């Protein structure tokens, strides 16, 4: 037996791996075989041989094999009783997509009063032998898009400096949608001087932050529509036209909505063809194409006691960079000075991914048994589209632009301190507004539905992160 101090244990025989998990376990699917390989380094096993093992995972002695998608609840898998209520005596599963190009995401598993969280679960490869049967149009289209994207990636394994087959530019009149069927409103501005049969092409700033109408997406019965295009960097051309990159149809699934879902398009051949850009960092920072004034960038903490809780727990006591903030009324909004990152390993990790044109800052929050480490990657230069508005912006220390969470750097550390086995550390990383000096942190109060409705009315783009009983979602 291989014992681990992460609320789960790993056993193996010659052909199988068995994982026995307790309530609140958190497992990174991609690290399981790596852990085994490190632990078995003195044996004759190779890493490739370990990858061929059959995996079996248990939650308090119950084998987790997967389930079928529930009606009208995309990405929620389980069984219903005669009253159409989810059975508590059977495991249920909720998949939250995170990676737009590989099908990876977070799989939350619920059984009776216990909960298990799998990070980097692949809905395509059925990680750890948990098979989820997709039935809804939304999940099936998502799997299809991911499968196609993976196929594209396998065929585009060439040097970054080499070009690939020419791809077709997106036109203003094409039917572009989020995977739920919400329609993207296309309007060419920068690309209007390049036309195919009198139809202009779409360039980067034309598509970025374009509105999405009539998205029917719901999660657990709550409406969570895609409202705008939030990221287009994975679908850009290699060369610029009119000083911007073109949007390429064949790679449109790499474009992401504000709710983290990919786009889809009905393909139309065009006379404008480009090579694909291999450097996603070349794109514009997330911004509004028609923005005439800057709004304060908003980042918001949502604190809950349960995964499906629709409201937020009030916070009266919070430790901020080792300084206590406490009051009789629930905390609502805090202005915070950021610190330099002292951890050399983390700092070097960011420096490898970002150029010298960025600064790196951090903020530590302590809340109950949760240590929350926030990292901010701050552009030193303001995007052209913001420069004019920034001159008139009253709160320059808050920066120009928006926050974007960088999930690839997120991680959870169980039992972060040896003398406090209940303390868990959560690492969240964000691309911050350009030239940000100070942080204005909001703390969610009340119902999420009311908060999101108010955000939509005020046309605010809010970057939120959620802590749920020691598990981030």
């Amino acid at each position: 037996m291989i014992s681990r101090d992460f609320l789960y244990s790993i056993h193996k025989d010659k052909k199988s791996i068995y994982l026995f998990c307790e309530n609140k376990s958190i497992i990174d699917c991609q690290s399981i075989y790596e852990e085994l390989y490190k632990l078995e380094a003195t044996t004759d096993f190779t890493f490739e041989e370990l990858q061929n093992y059959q995996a079996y995972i248990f939650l308090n002695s119950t084998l987790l094999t997967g389930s079928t998608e529930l009606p009208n609840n995309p990405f929620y898998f389980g069984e219903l009783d005669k009253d159409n209520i989810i059975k508590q005596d059977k495991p249920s599963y909720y998949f939250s997509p995170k990676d737009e190009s590989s099908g990876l995401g977070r799989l939350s598993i619920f059984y009776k009063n216990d909960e298990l969280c799998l990070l980097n679960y692949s809905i395509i490869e059925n990680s750890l032998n948990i098979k989820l049967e997709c039935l809804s149009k939304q999940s099936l289209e998502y799997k299809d898009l991911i499968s196609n994207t993976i196929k594209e990636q396998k065929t585009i394994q060439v040097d970054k400096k080499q070009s690939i087959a020419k791809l077709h530019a997106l036109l203003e009149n094409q039917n572009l949608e989020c995977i739920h069927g919400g329609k993207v409103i296309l309007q060419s501005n920068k690309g209007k001087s390049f036309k195919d049969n009198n139809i202009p092409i779409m360039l980067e700033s034309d598509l970025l932050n374009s509105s999405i109408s009539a998205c029917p997406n719901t999660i657990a019965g709550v409406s969570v529509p895609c409202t705008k295009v939030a990221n287009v960097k994975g679908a850009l051309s290699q060369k610029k036209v009119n000083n911007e990159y073109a949007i390429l149809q064949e790679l449109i699934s790499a474009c992401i909505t504000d709710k983290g879902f990919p786009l889809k398009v009905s393909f139309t051949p065009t006379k404008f063809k480009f090579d694909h850009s291999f450097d996603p960092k070349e794109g514009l920072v997330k911004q509004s194409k028609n923005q005439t004034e800057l709004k304060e960038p908003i980042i918001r903490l949502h604190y809950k006691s349960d995964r499906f809780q629709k409201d937020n727990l009030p916070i009266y006591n919070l430790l901020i960079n080792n300084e206590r903030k406490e009051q009789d009324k629930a905390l609502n909004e805090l202005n915070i000075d950021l610190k330099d990152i002292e951890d050399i390993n983390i700092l070097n990790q960011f420096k490898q991914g970002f150029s010298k044109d960025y600064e790196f800052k951090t903020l530590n929050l302590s809340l109950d048994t949760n240590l929350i480490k926030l990292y901010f990657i701050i552009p030193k230069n303001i995007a052209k589209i913001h420069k004019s508005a920034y001159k008139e912006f009253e709160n320059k220390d808050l920066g120009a632009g928006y926050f974007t969470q960088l999930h690839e750097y997120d991680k959870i550390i169980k039992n972060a301190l040896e003398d406090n086995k209940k303390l868990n550390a959560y690492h969240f990383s964000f691309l911050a507004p350009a030239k940000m000096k100070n942080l204005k942190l909001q703390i969610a109060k009340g119902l999420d539905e009311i908060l999101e409705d108010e955000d939509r009315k005020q046309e605010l783009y809010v970057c939120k992160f959620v802590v749920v009983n020691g598990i981030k979602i």
Side-chain angles (χ1 to χ4, degrees):
M1 183 180 75
I2 303 173
S3 298
R4 309 292 293 164
D5 194 22
F6 293 156
L7 294 179
Y8 68 88
S9 61
I10 304 176
H11 304 251
K12 71 175 184 64
D13 57 26
K14 292 183 178 181
K15 295 183 179 181
S16 302
I17 300 170
Y18 303 89
L19 289 89
F20 295 91
C21 308
E22 300 178 18
N23 184 31
K24 302 298 182 184
S25 296
I26 301 173
I27 296 177
D28 187 336
C29 295
Q30 292 183 328
S31 69
I32 291 299
Y33 291 107
E34 294 175 5
E35 287 184 29
L36 281 168
Y37 182 60
K38 291 176 183 178
L39 291 169
E40 295 294 339
T42 58
T43 73
D44 295 329
F45 289 98
T46 66
F47 182 65
E48 288 74 18
E49 289 174 329
L50 287 171
Q51 284 185 307
N52 292 327
Y53 274 32
Q54 183 73 13
Y56 300 93
I57 182 168
F58 298 80
L59 177 56
N60 283 342
S61 301
T62 298
L63 178 63
L64 303 175
T65 58
S67 191
T68 302
E69 194 168 19
L70 295 171
N72 303 317
N73 285 278
F75 296 110
Y76 203 154
F77 305 80
E79 297 183 26
L80 300 177
D81 60 20
K82 61 181 180 180
D83 297 320
N84 286 326
I85 298 176
I86 298 174
K87 291 183 178 180
Q88 300 298 313
D89 59 349
K90 298 285 186 179
S92 59
Y93 310 79
Y94 179 71
F95 178 68
S96 178
K98 180 186 75 169
D99 192 307
E100 66 273 14
S101 61
S102 67
L104 298 181
R106 183 178 295 105
L107 185 65
S108 299
I109 304 171
F110 312 94
Y111 177 56
K112 296 182 178 178
N113 293 321
D114 294 336
E115 181 176 349
L116 169 64
C117 178
L118 300 184
L119 304 178
N120 291 313
Y121 172 86
S122 172
I123 198 170
I124 300 294
E125 298 179 356
N126 300 317
S127 302
L128 301 182
N129 209 24
I130 295 178
K131 300 177 181 179
L132 304 179
E133 182 180 357
C134 294
L135 298 178
S136 71
K137 178 181 178 181
Q138 174 181 333
S139 60
L140 289 172
E141 288 182 347
Y142 174 77
K143 287 189 68 175
D144 183 59
L145 283 169
I146 295 302
S147 297
N148 290 335
T149 301
I150 292 175
K151 290 178 183 178
E152 289 175 0
Q153 291 173 338
K154 289 181 179 179
T155 61
I156 307 177
Q157 297 297 322
V158 295
D159 188 84
K160 290 184 177 181
K161 294 183 180 179
Q162 294 176 338
S163 63
I164 62 171
K166 300 287 185 178
L167 304 182
H168 297 258
L170 180 70
L171 299 179
E172 185 185 51
N173 68 340
Q174 287 188 252
N175 183 28
L176 182 63
E177 300 178 338
C178 66
I179 63 169
H180 317 113
K183 183 174 178 58
V184 180
I185 309 302
L186 298 180
Q187 182 177 349
S188 179
N189 181 26
K190 294 284 286 186
K192 63 185 178 182
S193 56
F194 300 88
K195 296 182 179 180
D196 184 347
N197 290 327
N198 209 35
I199 305 298
I201 67 173
M202 298 290 294
L203 300 186
E204 181 180 10
S205 66
D206 296 331
L207 182 59
L208 189 63
N209 281 319
S210 292
S211 298
I212 301 175
S213 65
C215 172
N217 183 41
T218 60
I219 296 178
V222 178
S223 177
V224 188
C226 299
T227 63
K228 66 168 67 175
V229 179
N231 193 318
V232 301
K233 290 185 288 187
L236 302 182
S237 61
Q238 191 175 104
K239 295 183 178 180
K240 291 182 178 181
V241 291
N242 201 13
N243 204 36
E244 280 202 19
Y245 301 100
I247 303 296
L248 304 179
Q249 293 184 55
E250 289 89 340
L251 302 175
I252 206 69
S253 61
C255 296
I256 304 302
T257 73
D258 56 339
K259 298 303 185 295
F261 293 98
L263 301 180
K264 60 181 181 178
V265 69
S266 298
F267 178 76
T268 300
T270 70
K271 69 178 184 181
F272 292 101
K273 299 178 182 180
F274 301 86
D275 289 339
H276 169 45
S277 171
F278 286 93
D279 190 355
K281 298 184 183 68
E282 286 292 331
L284 298 174
V285 178
K286 188 177 297 183
Q287 56 195 301
S288 172
K289 60 175 182 177
N290 293 320
Q291 189 167 1
T292 58
E293 63 178 359
L294 284 172
K295 296 183 178 180
E296 292 185 355
I298 300 175
I299 186 168
R300 183 187 292 153
L301 165 63
H302 290 243
Y303 188 49
K304 302 174 184 294
S305 61
D306 180 81
R307 169 66 179 80
F308 294 104
Q309 185 177 349
K310 296 181 179 179
D311 61 345
N312 296 277
L313 297 175
I315 298 174
Y316 301 93
N317 191 321
L318 187 63
L319 202 63
I320 305 172
N321 287 335
N322 295 321
E323 294 184 6
R324 187 167 301 281
K325 179 68 175 180
E326 187 174 10
Q327 62 184 40
D328 295 334
K329 294 183 179 180
L331 296 172
N332 183 36
E333 189 170 87
L334 302 168
N335 292 307
I336 304 172
D337 293 328
L338 301 177
K339 305 292 185 181
D340 291 329
I341 297 176
E342 297 180 353
D343 190 313
I344 300 300
N345 292 330
I346 293 177
L347 184 59
N348 287 337
Q349 182 184 23
F350 288 141
K351 287 183 176 180
Q352 288 176 2
F354 295 87
S355 71
K356 61 182 180 180
D357 295 326
Y358 293 86
E359 294 183 283
F360 309 97
K361 299 290 183 178
T362 188
L363 167 64
N364 292 336
L365 304 175
S366 293
L367 177 61
D368 295 332
T369 59
N370 305 302
L371 176 60
I372 306 168
K373 292 180 173 288
L374 305 182
Y375 299 101
F376 300 96
I377 299 164
I378 308 170
K380 294 180 180 179
N381 301 316
I382 297 175
K384 289 182 180 179
I385 199 169
H386 288 152
K387 285 186 176 180
S388 177
Y390 185 72
K391 294 178 180 179
E392 308 297 328
F393 191 40
E394 294 182 358
N395 300 302
K396 288 184 172 60
D397 284 350
L398 298 180
Y402 305 95
F403 290 96
T404 304
Q405 188 166 357
L406 304 174
H407 292 286
E408 59 266 35
Y409 294 105
D410 290 351
K411 63 180 179 179
I412 303 173
I413 303 175
K414 296 290 292 182
N415 305 331
L417 299 178
E418 292 184 359
D419 58 347
N420 188 346
K421 294 188 178 300
K422 291 184 179 181
L423 181 63
N424 303 317
Y426 306 89
H427 293 234
F428 299 87
S429 299
F430 303 88
L431 182 63
K435 290 194 172 182
M436 183 182 75
K437 302 299 181 185
N438 299 322
L439 177 74
K440 180 174 286 188
L441 174 68
Q442 287 190 1
I443 299 177
K445 295 170 63 177
L447 288 168
D448 287 337
E449 186 175 357
I450 295 177
L451 290 171
E452 291 172 0
D453 184 59
E454 188 63 28
D455 292 339
R456 284 191 290 269
K457 289 180 180 178
Q458 299 184 40
E459 297 184 348
L460 299 176
Y461 180 78
V462 179
C463 182
K464 71 176 184 179
F465 61 99
V466 188
V467 175
V468 182
N469 279 346
I471 300 178
K472 70 178 182 56
I473 63 173

